[in-house]
């Protein structure tokens, strides 16, 4: 792709429910861009586990900035705007990708970026809101998440991911249903690990939120998802001094991961068979996502579990004090803690208070 360069910094926002595959699609775009095309990812995630800072090392991203412990479309709105201004000042990238948490309201994100357009004289500019749909599980989580419906309704383009895991009839039913939510937005099937062509999601010059307005949510939508941290042999969840996690957590943009710090006691690895058995016991009806770090005999891996399927990605370095297990378990409010306790028991770990 001949990525067009502009004098301003276009922003592409990726929304979608937990485990829809937003990160994988973002990573699939990078090899198709010119080698000197600078992209910074601003990532908003549940919990404290800094998994996606590893992307800076294992991809061609210029940097990754993370906003943790909250949703940046409401309670962390100021942190998102500050982070975008910091990225502009420090890196001056050709484009910023924003990957939202699973509960983000796309309309309010568009509103916030439109405000930054005015404040920066269009130097930061909304290019597109992109919604990723998990074809295999959308009909399940849509019933429990009003946000999932809103994400599909308010967007410039819908990417249908994991469609190859369902039948043609199920896919037709899904597309018909998406058309009832949004009959004007293009719906494009992703091509597995190859994702989509960058031309599909870049250069769209979004018109969202130029007309009309929307009510900024009060944060209650964030209650759709409950998070629990599972730890084994780690230092406190966040080693940054002075953090008030009730207000969220913004980590500065980074060009690479930190390494295991000196003085962290070596820990016995988790047997891979034990990890597989523990994950196999999870119910995708109540647990939607498990994400974090696990120390196996072959070394540290990033664990990405979503709706019954998981991937392990080897990493050379992890955040200081990670220990043998540091996972965020995400799912239905009121159900997750009990499931997380059972998972922790199987791994010889504990659940953070």
């Amino acid at each position: 792709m001949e990525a067009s360069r502009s004098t301003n910094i276009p922003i592409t926002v990726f929304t979608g429910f937990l485990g829809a595959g937003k990160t994988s699609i973002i990573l699939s775009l990078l090899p198709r861009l010119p080698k000197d095309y600078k992209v910074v990812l601003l990532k908003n995630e549940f919990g404290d586990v800094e998994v996606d800072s590893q992307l800076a090392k294992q991809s061609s991203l210029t940097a990754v900035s993370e906003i943790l412990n909250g949703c940046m479309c409401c309670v962390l709105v100021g942190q998102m705007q500050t982070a975008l201004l910091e990225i502009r000042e420090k890196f001056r990238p050709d484009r910023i990708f924003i990957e939202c948490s699973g509960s983000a309201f796309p309309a309010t994100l568009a509103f916030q970026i439109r405000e930054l357009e005015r404040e920066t004289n269009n130097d930061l500019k909304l290019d597109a809101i992109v919604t990723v749909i998990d074809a295999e599980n959308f009909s399940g989580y849509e019933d429990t998440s009003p946000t999932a419906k809103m994400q599909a309704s308010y967007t410039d383009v819908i990417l249908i991911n994991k469609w190859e895991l369902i039948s043609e009839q199920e896919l037709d039913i899904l597309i018909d249903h998406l058309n009832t939510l949004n009959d004007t937005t293009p719906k494009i099937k992703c091509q597995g690990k190859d994702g989509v062509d960058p031309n599909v999601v870049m250069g769209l010059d979004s018109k969202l939120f130029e007309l009309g307005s929307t009510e900024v949510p009060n944060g209650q939508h964030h209650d759709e998802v409950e998070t629990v941290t599972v730890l084994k042999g780690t230092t406190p969840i966040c080693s940054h001094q002075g953090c008030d996690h009730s207000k969220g957590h913004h980590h500065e943009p980074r060009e690479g991961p930190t390494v295991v710090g000196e003085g962290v006691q070596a820990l016995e690895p988790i047997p891979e068979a034990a990890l597989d058995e523990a994950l196999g016991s999870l119910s995708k009806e109540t647990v939607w996502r498990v994400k974090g770090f696990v120390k196996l005999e072959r070394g540290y891996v990033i664990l990405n579990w979503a709706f019954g399927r998981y991937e392990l990605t080897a990493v050379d370095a992890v955040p200081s004090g990670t220990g043998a297990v540091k996972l965020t378990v995400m799912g239905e409010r009121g159900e997750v803690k009990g499931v997380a306790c059972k998972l922790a028991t199987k791994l010889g770990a504990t659940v953070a208070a």
Side-chain angles (χ1 to χ4, degrees):
M1 172 194 175
E2 289 297 326
S4 60
R5 301 177 194 261
S6 57
T7 55
N8 58 25
I9 302 174
I11 298 172
T12 306
V13 180
F14 291 84
T15 70
F17 202 66
L18 294 168
K22 299 184 291 292
T23 303
S24 296
I25 287 173
I26 290 171
L27 292 178
S28 76
L29 295 170
L30 301 178
R32 305 192 191 191
L33 299 174
K35 291 184 178 179
D36 62 344
Y37 194 84
K38 294 168 61 178
V39 178
V40 172
L41 172 64
L42 175 59
K43 166 79 175 179
N44 183 207
E45 186 58 279
F46 292 102
D48 303 86
V49 184
E50 302 171 45
V51 171
D52 290 290
S53 62
Q54 307 302 324
L55 295 175
K57 180 179 180 181
Q58 300 190 186
S59 74
S60 58
L61 285 167
T62 299
V64 178
S65 180
E66 293 181 296
I67 297 178
L68 306 176
N69 285 299
C71 183
M72 63 186 176
C73 81
C74 49
V75 294
L76 302 185
V77 55
Q79 290 195 30
M80 184 194 79
Q81 293 172 335
T82 298
L84 288 173
L85 293 171
E86 288 177 353
I87 290 169
R88 180 182 72 153
E89 179 69 22
K90 184 173 182 180
F91 297 103
R92 192 70 201 177
D94 293 297
R95 181 173 296 269
I96 298 172
F97 287 154
I98 297 179
E99 182 183 345
C100 304
S101 71
S103 66
F105 276 15
T108 51
L109 291 171
F111 171 73
Q112 292 163 28
I113 296 171
R114 292 297 190 199
E115 285 192 325
L116 279 179
E117 285 184 6
R118 292 189 289 271
E119 293 174 12
T120 63
N121 294 319
N122 287 326
D123 192 35
L124 291 171
K125 186 170 180 60
L126 177 65
D127 185 29
I129 302 285
V130 179
T131 296
V132 182
I133 296 294
D134 176 351
E136 186 181 23
N137 297 292
F138 183 76
S139 61
Y141 62 66
E142 182 212 17
D143 291 338
T144 59
S145 173
T147 309
K149 292 181 180 179
M150 185 172 292
Q151 290 168 345
S153 302
Y154 191 92
T155 182
D156 292 292
V157 62
I158 292 174
L159 302 183
I160 302 176
N161 201 21
K162 307 180 187 179
W163 59 270
E164 64 276 11
L165 301 177
I166 62 177
S167 67
E168 289 187 15
Q169 181 180 9
E170 289 170 326
L171 179 59
D172 288 341
I173 293 172
L174 171 66
I175 292 175
D176 286 343
H177 183 50
L178 290 173
N179 283 332
T180 65
L181 296 173
N182 186 340
D183 62 351
T184 60
T185 296
K187 299 162 188 70
I188 300 167
K189 294 192 294 184
C190 299
Q191 301 303 314
K193 294 291 186 181
D194 292 332
V196 294
D197 189 310
N199 288 296
V200 170
V201 297
M202 293 169 59
L204 300 186
D205 192 20
S206 175
K207 303 305 178 186
L208 295 175
F209 217 93
E210 286 191 342
L211 299 174
S213 62
T214 188
E215 181 181 354
V216 177
N218 59 12
Q220 291 180 351
H221 68 292
H222 192 60
D223 291 340
E224 291 177 4
V225 181
E226 183 176 9
T227 65
V228 178
T229 304
V230 173
L231 306 169
K232 182 176 182 180
T234 93
T235 53
I237 297 175
C238 179
S239 59
H240 295 73
Q241 297 299 316
C243 290
D244 182 354
H245 289 92
S246 65
K247 298 180 180 179
H249 191 120
H250 169 218
H251 287 167
E252 299 291 332
R254 64 189 72 209
E255 299 182 42
T258 54
V259 298
V260 176
E262 294 181 5
V264 177
Q265 185 178 6
L267 294 164
E268 290 296 319
I270 303 296
E272 196 156 342
L275 177 63
D276 182 73
E277 179 183 355
L279 295 174
S281 68
L282 297 176
S283 167
K284 70 177 186 179
E285 303 301 323
T286 55
V287 176
W288 302 323
R289 194 82 192 275
V290 180
K291 189 173 186 179
F293 300 100
V294 180
K295 182 180 182 182
L296 302 176
E297 291 181 355
R298 56 187 166 105
Y300 275 101
V301 296
I302 291 174
L303 166 66
N304 266 309
W305 183 100
F307 295 99
R309 303 176 187 273
Y310 73 90
E311 292 183 350
L312 301 175
T313 304
V315 286
D316 295 328
V318 296
S320 180
T322 296
V325 175
K326 193 172 186 182
L327 300 172
T328 298
V329 183
M330 300 163 254
E332 184 178 353
R333 180 158 296 279
E335 302 293 334
V336 171
K337 190 162 187 179
V339 176
C341 287
K342 293 178 181 178
L343 176 66
T345 299
K346 290 180 181 292
L347 298 176
T350 58
V351 170

